[in-house]
Amino acid sequence: MFNLNYFKQKSPQQRFLFILGLTMMLIYLGIGIVVIFFGDLINLDPERFPQKYRIAFGVVLIVYAAIRFSRLINKKESV
């Protein structure tokens, strides 16, 4: 699954885009976790953003991060 030769063959632009994609995936995952579990700590107003919508939004962000990760891995394997 993890092949170091793949990284040696990549151009600097491809490596940068891979790292950028990985970083964005981690950001979406982190924001999803923070919204779900720490929404009260970051002062999300419960009247304007109820808990059920906060959890749904967090799950959507986590699913989107998983989709980005799977696309990143599939692109890596096909090259």
Side-chain angles (χ1 to χ4, degrees), residues 3-16 76-79:
N3 188 0
L4 289 177
N5 290 329
Y6 174 74
F7 289 103
K8 290 179 184 176
Q9 296 172 355
K10 288 180 111 177
S11 70
Q13 180 184 10
Q14 288 175 325
R15 263 186 260 148
F16 172 75
K76 183 184 86 142
E77 291 176 354
S78 66
V79 172

Side-chain angles (χ1 to χ4, degrees), residues 1-68:
M1 180 173 165
F2 189 74
N3 188 0
L4 289 177
N5 290 329
Y6 174 74
F7 289 103
K8 290 179 184 176
Q9 296 172 355
K10 288 180 111 177
S11 70
Q13 180 184 10
Q14 288 175 325
R15 263 186 260 148
F16 172 75
L17 291 175
F18 176 76
I19 292 171
L20 181 65
L22 195 61
T23 303
M24 290 305 298
M25 185 272 307
L26 290 173
I27 288 172
Y28 284 122
L29 181 67
I31 291 173
I33 290 171
V34 166
V35 166
I36 291 174
F37 295 110
F38 303 108
D40 297 332
L41 296 176
I42 58 174
N43 293 329
L44 290 176
D45 188 14
E47 292 177 6
R48 292 177 48 191
F49 202 30
Q51 184 175 3
K52 62 180 178 179
Y53 294 130
R54 192 176 72 209
I55 291 172
F57 181 62
V59 168
V60 167
L61 285 173
I62 292 171
V63 167
Y64 182 64
I67 291 170
R68 285 187 67 105

